[in-house]
Amino acid sequence: MKVWVDPERCQGHTLCSMIAPEAFELDDIDGHSSAVFDEVPRDLEDKVREAAQSCPECAIFIDADSCDRKAEFEKPRETTS
């Protein structure tokens, strides 16, 4: 599973690092998140999915297919207007 944080969407709420501190690191200046791993270790996959679903900005994208096909990132959660 691959994970990516969109730097344009991330607002530094820090929920991802509270849920999965091993998988997300925060910028010291503005608190914006970035993924620690390109390829998430299997033992952290559930935490990373939970972090993605908890992101209020929908800034975390995951790709559960780790093979060589083109990665198609899925939105972690749809927002309602």
Side-chain angles (χ1 to χ4, degrees), residues 8-43:
E8 298 296 316
R9 287 186 177 194
C10 179
Q11 297 298 308
H13 296 287
T14 74
L15 292 174
C16 58
S17 68
M18 287 189 267
I19 294 168
E22 310 92 338
F24 298 96
E25 60 187 4
L26 302 176
D27 184 280
D28 290 336
I29 296 175
D30 60 13
H32 288 135
S33 179
S34 60
V36 173
F37 310 104
D38 287 331
E39 193 74 28
V40 178
R42 287 203 182 271
D43 62 323

Side-chain angles (χ1 to χ4, degrees), residues 3 5 13 19 31-32 34 36 40-41 47 49-51 55 58 64 68 74:
V3 64
V5 180
H13 296 287
I19 294 168
H32 288 135
S34 60
V36 173
V40 178
K47 282 186 172 183
R49 282 188 191 95
E50 182 182 348
C55 180
C58 298
D68 293 330
E74 61 187 26

